[in-house]
Amino acid sequence: MRLNRLTDYAVVMLAHIGRPGRESGPEAGGRRVVTAAEMAADSGVPLPTVAKLMKLLAQAGILASQRGALGGYRLARAPERITMAEIIAALEGPIALTACVDGREGDCEVESLCPMRGNWDKVNRAVRQALDAVTLADMSLEPQRFPPVAAAAAARPVAQAS
Amino acid sequence: MRLNRLTDYAVVMLAHIGRPGRESGPEAGGRRVVTAAEMAADSGVPLPTVAKLMKLLAQAGILASQRGALGGYRLARAPERITMAEIIAALEGPIALTACVDGREGDCEVESLCPMRGNWDKVNRAVRQALDAVTLADMSLEPQRFPPVAAAAAARPVAQAS
DNA sequence: CTTATACGGTACCAAATTAGTCCCCTATTG
DNA sequence: CAATAGGGGACTAATTTGGTACCGTATAAG
């Protein structure tokens, strides 16, 4: 159920690219251009790994790449129009919880006992919808510095304990 | 994004237990009792693996176990009241797409660039809801023997091709 | 037109998960 | 008390994943 580390990195980086950025210049096409090397430096993730990720995201049409000197990557669209489902699909393939899905047959060795070929689609559809509803913009929001629960605890210091 | 094979097996087996069953006897508590060995034979999954699975499902309160001769497993509740979310959580831990979740801190090494601690919760909540909405009963339904598309093709045999 | 920058692609290796196995213990029925 | 059936933990093999290396191609600046 957990998604792999690379996908996690990807979301963090995409959110980072999407955010305004400190030393913002003219910015081609209205969106920030960032190099893989920059991303690596900013994130601590090793450069070759970052490069691989960016590549995949570019192929999926989530990032637009510019080769050569002064090149780099920028979001292909506004963050509001990039969904989690898309990002995850780009890095982990189609969103489907099991192998016996989407018409692909013959992979399921226990077909004898498995009259549920179609039932998984219900689950997959549900999950896909859930992930379509969350955009990169949602993920880019800076949450309040302290979570609500901590704030509440601070407001009512030590009382009622014991 | 894919869930592991064991979880897949588990759903198949639970659905199997939930279904009426051919040689149904009196059935303790109104629900079918099945042994791990039976499940292994029916499914082709090796017995030790089945045993491990059933054990976990029993611990999670999804199956009720009966030890000793004539023992076995049965559903702890009606299939309508067992959700996918529950089954998945039982076998893969809490439903959360990333490690930096649910208050657990210190696992995320890239916290410097990662102002998204709370944002993942949106995604997790969405997925959890999606999986809560699908029950074991939904997964137990026998889909029509031929999928709609094949049926349509059969009704309109060879015409219009080429 | 040459050089430096930066992305593109492929193949490969090492480390971490995951699936599956083994062995022995405890409970229940007849 | 013998046979059946689940409970628990440790270990091993196989896959998957993350990360690396190397070389090619495009673009901008001088």
Side-chain angles (χ1 to χ4, degrees):
Chain A
M1 200 65 240
R2 211 126 309 172
L3 35 76
N4 60 32
R5 191 135 36 107
L6 290 185
T7 308
D8 189 350
Y9 291 166
V11 174
V12 173
M13 289 179 187
L14 287 171
H16 186 231
I17 298 180
R19 248 185 296 269
R22 321 116 303 189
E23 18 87 58
S24 46
E27 275 153 30
R31 272 184 278 278
R32 215 146 77 89
V33 174
V34 186
T35 68
E38 271 183 80
M39 292 300 317
D42 287 359
S43 66
V45 176
L47 173 57
T49 301
V50 173
K52 188 190 243 177
L53 265 174
M54 307 290 253
K55 213 182 304 176
L56 288 169
L57 292 169
Q59 285 172 341
I62 293 170
L63 289 176
S65 69
Q66 171 65 36
R67 293 170 77 154
L70 299 194
Y73 294 95
R74 72 203 137 77
L75 294 183
R77 274 162 286 147
E80 292 78 20
R81 298 185 43 236
I82 297 176
T83 69
M84 277 292 127
E86 218 181 335
I87 299 171
I88 292 173
L91 290 152
E92 318 203 351
I95 293 176
L97 267 43
T98 59
C100 61
V101 188
D102 287 329
R104 298 191 59 208
E105 302 216 17
D107 280 11
C108 181
E109 328 90 20
V110 292
E111 291 196 25
S112 51
L113 148 79
C114 181
M116 56 170 45
R117 268 163 284 269
N119 287 328
W120 276 111
D121 283 350
K122 301 170 191 169
V123 179
N124 292 331
R125 232 184 298 279
V127 171
R128 224 171 291 150
Q129 277 177 14
L131 292 174
D132 257 323
V134 182
T135 72
L136 184 58
D138 295 324
M139 298 302 284
S140 299
L141 297 174
E142 295 257 4
Q144 56 272 46
R145 190 89 202 91
F146 299 100
V149 54
R156 179 168 41 84
V158 198
Q160 282 177 349
S162 86
Chain B
M1 200 64 240
R2 212 126 309 173
L3 34 77
N4 60 34
R5 194 139 29 113
L6 291 184
T7 308
D8 189 349
Y9 291 166
V11 174
V12 173
M13 289 179 185
L14 287 172
H16 186 232
I17 298 179
R19 248 185 296 271
R22 320 118 302 189
E23 19 85 57
S24 45
E27 275 151 31
R31 272 184 278 279
R32 213 145 78 89
V33 174
V34 186
T35 68
E38 272 184 78
M39 291 299 318
D42 287 359
S43 67
V45 175
L47 173 58
T49 302
V50 173
K52 187 190 242 176
L53 264 174
M54 307 290 253
K55 216 180 300 176
L56 288 169
L57 292 168
Q59 285 172 341
I62 293 170
L63 289 176
S65 68
Q66 171 66 35
R67 292 170 78 155
L70 300 192
Y73 295 95
R74 69 200 140 78
L75 295 183
R77 273 161 286 148
E80 292 77 20
R81 297 186 43 235
I82 297 177
T83 69
M84 278 292 128
E86 216 180 336
I87 298 171
I88 292 173
L91 290 153
E92 317 204 351
I95 294 176
L97 268 42
T98 59
C100 60
V101 189
D102 287 328
R104 297 191 59 209
E105 301 215 17
D107 281 10
C108 180
E109 329 90 19
V110 292
E111 292 197 24
S112 50
L113 147 80
C114 182
M116 56 170 47
R117 268 163 284 268
N119 287 328
W120 276 111
D121 283 349
K122 301 170 192 172
V123 179
N124 292 331
R125 230 184 299 278
V127 171
R128 224 171 292 151
Q129 277 176 14
L131 293 173
D132 258 323
V134 182
T135 73
L136 184 58
D138 295 324
M139 298 303 283
S140 300
L141 296 175
E142 294 257 5
Q144 55 273 50
R145 190 86 203 92
F146 300 99
V149 54
R156 180 168 40 84
V158 197
Q160 281 177 349
S162 84

